[in-house]
Amino acid sequence: MKKNDSFFIEKGYFGRFGGIFVPETLIPALRELEKAFFKLSRDKKFQKNFQYYLTKFVGRPTPLYFAENLSKKLGLKLYLKREDLCHTGAHKINNAIGQVLLAKKMGKTRIIAETGAGQHGVATATASALMGLKCRIYMGKEDMKRQSLNVFRMELLGAEVIGVDGGSKTLKDAINEALRDWVTNVYDTHYVLGTVFGPHPYPTMVKHFVSVIGKEAIRQIKKVSGRLPDVVVACVGGGSNAMGIFYPFLDDKNVELVGVEAGGVGIEPGKHAARFAGGKVGIFQGTKSYVLQDEDGQILTTHSISAGLDYASVGPEHSYLFETGRVKYTYAHDDEALSAFYLLSKEEGIIPALESSHAIAYVVKNADKLKNKIVLINLSGRGDKDVMQVRELMNKNE
Ligand SMILES: *Cc1c(COP(=O)(O)O)cnc(C)c1O
């Protein structure tokens, strides 16, 4: 191994987590990507261009909203970072724009991505349309059935959506298929991964593109309250919206950081996606992190009311922050998230994504402990995509 190789690989670690666990054929592509990313992340012109699209296209800075009604009800000071107001409805567009812009600078002409519920697919198709690049999205056939509206959206945006038939026909199978495509077409193709997951440099690169959330929030909350918040809360799927808001706060040790995973319908195997409550360290889809797996290392099925949190592993840096104790990880059950979904809608006139509802549920559950504190929630997305599902659940329960 050349000296450069070991340097390249060492950089991808967060303590004992992270790294690069991919077929040999992908190593040159990852190295090329890392080089381009580290160069452009320091390039003023590139950053200015990225800022331009964040401002004019995405709608940044997103507001920091004081949720007055819910604050009164819960006896604390609740601020919402309104990522639900981003173009396409969630924080995911920040990363998609960053990566597609990077791909274009690298001279790539073709974009591929995986998607579960379709949110990352829509964000990537949007960014590709904007930058004039060809786009193909891999999506499990089961997910295509459940999220047909998002499939149509991606097609309207000019993307080709490929149904994946293997395995459970869901997100992890779509990731495998996207990686296969990338191996074959690396010379002209960039793979836009949707969260702080996968092999280096993805966790670091995605963090870079989404940490605008936390940087803005620090500026905004200092301006309205004269100080930093006591607690910052975010839901954790792969972990990008959480990393986006946590990262700029990491050095402020007085700010408590709380990540909320999907507790599903119970904490037994197969019924949740709470990796830190039920997982073990393992290697999955290119990286080393906490994984929900059985005794033999087989990946367990997961369940959550929210598709965006329904995944067997979690970004490697979160595993590091879990073991060092800097971030506290807990979970909210489906029914708690659903109650929080209703509560924010009625109290504040904001219908949240079911994913973000997990973060709200934590604050509701712990209101006594949080009395009079300044609490900041990353409201990662809006609930428009979830209202049909919630209506069906309501009808079933009647
Ligand atoms: C995809 C998604 C998530 C989960 O992904 P992270 O990478 O954990 O942020 C959370 N909230 C919303 C609204 C999403 O669309």
Side-chain angles (χ1 to χ4, degrees), residues 89-92 119 194-196 235-242 308-309 353 355-356 380-382 385:
H91 68 288
K92 287 193 172 80
Q119 294 305 109
T195 186
V196 287
C235 65
V236 184
S240 67
N241 88 88
L309 305 186
E355 289 84 0
S356 327
S380 54
R382 67 179 86 129
K385 66 183 177 61

Short mmCIF file of all heavy atoms in Angstrom, two decimals, residues 89-92 119 194-196 235-242 308-309 353 355-356 380-382 385, ligand 1:
data_model
loop_
_atom_site.label_atom_id
_atom_site.label_comp_id
_atom_site.label_asym_id
_atom_site.label_seq_id
_atom_site.Cartn_x
_atom_site.Cartn_y
_atom_site.Cartn_z
N GLY A 89 -39.04 20.43 0.60
CA GLY A 89 -39.68 20.04 1.85
C GLY A 89 -38.85 19.42 2.95
O GLY A 89 -39.39 19.01 3.98
N ALA A 90 -37.54 19.34 2.78
CA ALA A 90 -36.72 18.78 3.86
C ALA A 90 -35.26 19.21 3.69
O ALA A 90 -34.88 19.80 2.68
CB ALA A 90 -36.81 17.26 3.86
N HIS A 91 -34.45 18.87 4.70
CA HIS A 91 -33.04 19.23 4.70
C HIS A 91 -32.25 18.55 3.60
O HIS A 91 -31.14 18.96 3.29
CB HIS A 91 -32.43 18.84 6.05
CG HIS A 91 -32.37 17.35 6.24
ND1 HIS A 91 -33.50 16.59 6.45
CD2 HIS A 91 -31.34 16.48 6.17
CE1 HIS A 91 -33.15 15.32 6.53
NE2 HIS A 91 -31.85 15.22 6.38
N LYS A 92 -32.78 17.47 3.02
CA LYS A 92 -32.01 16.65 2.08
C LYS A 92 -31.51 17.42 0.85
O LYS A 92 -30.49 17.06 0.27
CB LYS A 92 -32.84 15.46 1.62
CG LYS A 92 -33.01 14.40 2.69
CD LYS A 92 -33.57 13.13 2.07
CE LYS A 92 -33.56 11.99 3.06
NZ LYS A 92 -34.71 12.09 3.98
N GLN A 119 -37.74 10.68 -0.84
CA GLN A 119 -37.38 12.08 -0.54
C GLN A 119 -35.99 12.42 -1.08
O GLN A 119 -35.80 13.47 -1.68
CB GLN A 119 -37.42 12.34 0.97
CG GLN A 119 -38.81 12.25 1.58
CD GLN A 119 -39.81 13.15 0.90
OE1 GLN A 119 -40.70 12.69 0.19
NE2 GLN A 119 -39.65 14.45 1.07
N GLY A 194 -27.37 9.71 0.21
CA GLY A 194 -28.34 10.62 0.82
C GLY A 194 -28.15 10.98 2.27
O GLY A 194 -28.90 11.78 2.82
N THR A 195 -27.14 10.41 2.95
CA THR A 195 -27.00 10.73 4.37
C THR A 195 -25.54 10.55 4.79
O THR A 195 -24.69 10.19 3.96
CB THR A 195 -27.96 9.87 5.21
OG1 THR A 195 -27.91 10.30 6.57
CG2 THR A 195 -27.62 8.38 5.13
N VAL A 196 -25.23 10.80 6.06
CA VAL A 196 -23.84 10.74 6.54
C VAL A 196 -23.41 9.29 6.75
O VAL A 196 -23.00 8.88 7.84
CB VAL A 196 -23.66 11.54 7.86
CG1 VAL A 196 -23.69 13.03 7.59
CG2 VAL A 196 -24.73 11.15 8.89
N CYS A 235 -34.04 14.10 15.07
CA CYS A 235 -34.28 12.68 14.79
C CYS A 235 -33.07 12.11 14.04
O CYS A 235 -32.33 12.85 13.39
CB CYS A 235 -35.56 12.50 13.99
SG CYS A 235 -35.52 13.19 12.33
N VAL A 236 -32.88 10.79 14.16
CA VAL A 236 -31.71 10.16 13.54
C VAL A 236 -32.12 8.95 12.70
O VAL A 236 -32.54 7.93 13.24
CB VAL A 236 -30.68 9.69 14.61
CG1 VAL A 236 -29.44 9.12 13.93
CG2 VAL A 236 -30.30 10.83 15.53
N GLY A 237 -32.03 9.12 11.38
CA GLY A 237 -32.18 7.98 10.47
C GLY A 237 -30.78 7.54 10.12
O GLY A 237 -30.11 6.87 10.91
N GLY A 238 -30.28 7.96 8.97
CA GLY A 238 -28.87 7.78 8.66
C GLY A 238 -28.06 8.76 9.49
O GLY A 238 -26.91 8.52 9.84
N GLY A 239 -28.69 9.90 9.80
CA GLY A 239 -28.07 10.85 10.71
C GLY A 239 -27.67 12.20 10.13
O GLY A 239 -26.97 12.97 10.78
N SER A 240 -28.16 12.54 8.91
CA SER A 240 -27.66 13.78 8.32
C SER A 240 -28.27 15.05 8.91
O SER A 240 -27.57 16.01 9.15
CB SER A 240 -27.80 13.76 6.80
OG SER A 240 -29.14 13.78 6.39
N ASN A 241 -29.59 15.04 9.15
CA ASN A 241 -30.14 16.28 9.71
C ASN A 241 -29.62 16.50 11.12
O ASN A 241 -29.38 17.63 11.54
CB ASN A 241 -31.68 16.31 9.62
CG ASN A 241 -32.38 15.68 10.80
OD1 ASN A 241 -32.65 16.33 11.79
ND2 ASN A 241 -32.66 14.37 10.71
N ALA A 242 -29.41 15.39 11.86
CA ALA A 242 -28.87 15.50 13.22
C ALA A 242 -27.43 16.01 13.17
O ALA A 242 -27.06 16.94 13.89
CB ALA A 242 -28.94 14.15 13.93
N GLY A 308 -38.16 7.45 6.57
CA GLY A 308 -36.83 8.07 6.61
C GLY A 308 -35.98 7.61 7.78
O GLY A 308 -34.77 7.84 7.80
N LEU A 309 -36.58 6.99 8.79
CA LEU A 309 -35.81 6.52 9.95
C LEU A 309 -35.68 5.01 9.95
O LEU A 309 -35.06 4.42 10.84
CB LEU A 309 -36.48 6.96 11.27
CG LEU A 309 -36.76 8.44 11.47
CD1 LEU A 309 -37.29 8.69 12.88
CD2 LEU A 309 -35.52 9.29 11.22
N ALA A 353 -42.94 16.45 9.31
CA ALA A 353 -42.68 15.10 8.80
C ALA A 353 -42.76 14.12 9.97
O ALA A 353 -42.46 14.48 11.10
CB ALA A 353 -41.30 15.04 8.16
N GLU A 355 -40.77 11.80 10.55
CA GLU A 355 -39.40 11.67 11.07
C GLU A 355 -39.17 12.72 12.15
O GLU A 355 -38.82 12.41 13.28
CB GLU A 355 -38.37 11.86 9.94
CG GLU A 355 -38.31 10.73 8.93
CD GLU A 355 -39.36 10.84 7.83
OE1 GLU A 355 -40.15 11.81 7.86
OE2 GLU A 355 -39.41 9.96 6.95
N SER A 356 -39.39 13.98 11.78
CA SER A 356 -39.16 15.09 12.72
C SER A 356 -40.05 14.96 13.96
O SER A 356 -39.68 15.43 15.04
CB SER A 356 -39.45 16.43 12.04
OG SER A 356 -39.12 16.41 10.67
N SER A 380 -36.78 18.69 10.61
CA SER A 380 -36.06 18.28 9.38
C SER A 380 -36.91 18.34 8.12
O SER A 380 -36.38 18.51 7.02
CB SER A 380 -35.49 16.88 9.55
OG SER A 380 -36.50 15.96 9.94
N GLY A 381 -38.25 18.21 8.26
CA GLY A 381 -39.05 18.24 7.04
C GLY A 381 -40.53 18.47 7.31
O GLY A 381 -40.98 18.40 8.45
N ARG A 382 -41.26 18.76 6.24
CA ARG A 382 -42.70 18.98 6.39
C ARG A 382 -43.48 17.68 6.17
O ARG A 382 -42.98 16.74 5.56
CB ARG A 382 -43.16 20.08 5.43
CG ARG A 382 -43.07 19.73 3.96
CD ARG A 382 -43.58 20.89 3.10
NE ARG A 382 -42.52 21.86 2.83
CZ ARG A 382 -42.21 22.31 1.59
NH1 ARG A 382 -42.92 21.94 0.55
NH2 ARG A 382 -41.25 23.18 1.41
N LYS A 385 -45.93 14.90 2.76
CA LYS A 385 -45.74 13.56 2.22
C LYS A 385 -46.39 12.50 3.09
O LYS A 385 -46.58 11.36 2.64
CB LYS A 385 -44.24 13.27 2.09
CG LYS A 385 -43.54 13.20 3.44
CD LYS A 385 -42.04 12.99 3.31
CE LYS A 385 -41.36 12.98 4.67
NZ LYS A 385 -41.80 11.93 5.60
C1 LIG B 1 -34.75 11.39 5.19
C2 LIG B 1 -35.29 12.16 6.31
C3 LIG B 1 -34.79 12.00 7.63
C4 LIG B 1 -33.78 10.97 7.99
O1 LIG B 1 -32.53 11.12 7.43
P1 LIG B 1 -31.29 11.71 8.25
O2 LIG B 1 -30.14 11.43 7.36
O3 LIG B 1 -31.22 10.95 9.53
O4 LIG B 1 -31.54 13.13 8.48
C5 LIG B 1 -35.30 12.81 8.62
N1 LIG B 1 -36.26 13.73 8.36
C6 LIG B 1 -36.76 13.90 7.13
C7 LIG B 1 -37.82 14.93 6.91
C8 LIG B 1 -36.31 13.12 6.06
O5 LIG B 1 -36.84 13.30 4.84
#
